[in-house]
Amino acid sequence: MGIFCNDVTMTTRDFTPSTDILHTGGCHCGAIRFQVLAPKRLHVYNCNCSVCHKKQNKHFIVPKSKFTLLQGEEYLTTYTFNTHQAKHTFCKTCGVQSFYTPRSNPDGYGVAPHCLDPGTVENVTEENFDGQNWEQHIQTSDIASRSKE
């Protein structure tokens, strides 16, 4: 299956040109399908909070406006805990979390790069996020800025 990429030139907060392309993806069983505008070179966060560690939740952040759920809303279910700010959505058929709403970015989505269809990602750079010490680490991380337009 071919992947169609639409180039959209964007400017980041430091005025460095970046190009977003259209990625598509979904869960394992195919019930959930989405598209997301994001760079070919993804900046992925590896959080070590209790739930992310258990799920091995590596994700990149996008503003809500760059994410579109194409199908499967009726197959989504949500898990919350502790502050209930993060909305851990996953497919109730296969159990895969393709995306979620992070506590750090209630105005965006955390998208799992391993749930993208092959052919559009050029590179993945990982950055650790100390979710075990969330309140302290959020003060020094740029993660909250990732969901801003």
Side-chain angles (χ1 to χ4, degrees):
M1 181 167 110
I3 303 298
F4 296 97
C5 301
N6 296 328
D7 287 344
V8 178
T9 302
M10 306 296 287
T11 304
T12 60
R13 355 176 232 120
D14 64 358
F15 303 105
T16 307
S18 70
T19 301
D20 283 350
I21 63 161
L22 186 64
H23 302 275
T24 57
C27 67
H28 183 259
C29 71
I32 310 297
R33 295 293 299 161
F34 63 85
Q35 65 185 28
V36 61
L37 282 170
K40 293 179 193 179
R41 296 173 180 227
L42 299 175
H43 186 98
V44 172
Y45 290 92
N46 183 14
C47 181
N48 69 351
C49 79
S50 60
V51 71
C52 287
H53 176 75
K54 294 266 185 192
K55 293 189 304 178
Q56 295 294 292
N57 182 22
K58 297 178 181 182
H59 57 278
F60 61 95
I61 306 290
V62 296
K64 282 189 178 182
S65 65
K66 292 187 177 188
F67 181 91
T68 304
L69 182 65
L70 299 173
Q71 73 178 42
E73 186 171 2
E74 68 274 19
Y75 291 98
L76 289 174
T77 192
T78 303
Y79 173 71
T80 66
F81 71 103
N82 195 12
T83 65
H84 302 283
Q85 290 179 310
K87 308 296 183 214
H88 296 273
T89 50
F90 58 95
C91 175
K92 55 181 145 180
T93 301
C94 67
V96 169
Q97 176 182 287
S98 306
F99 64 93
Y100 80 113
T101 304
R103 177 180 175 193
S104 59
N105 302 80
D107 56 347
Y109 288 105
V111 180
H114 49 274
C115 288
L116 296 177
D117 296 333
T120 58
V121 176
E122 187 176 288
N123 181 281
V124 174
T125 302
E126 283 189 26
E127 178 181 338
N128 290 330
F129 182 85
D130 186 5
Q132 290 181 2
N133 299 293
W134 195 93
E135 288 78 9
Q136 292 82 21
H137 195 75
I138 195 69
Q139 301 299 321
T140 60
S141 173
D142 73 341
I143 194 168
S145 69
R146 299 283 177 157
S147 56
K148 305 298 180 224
E149 292 289 339

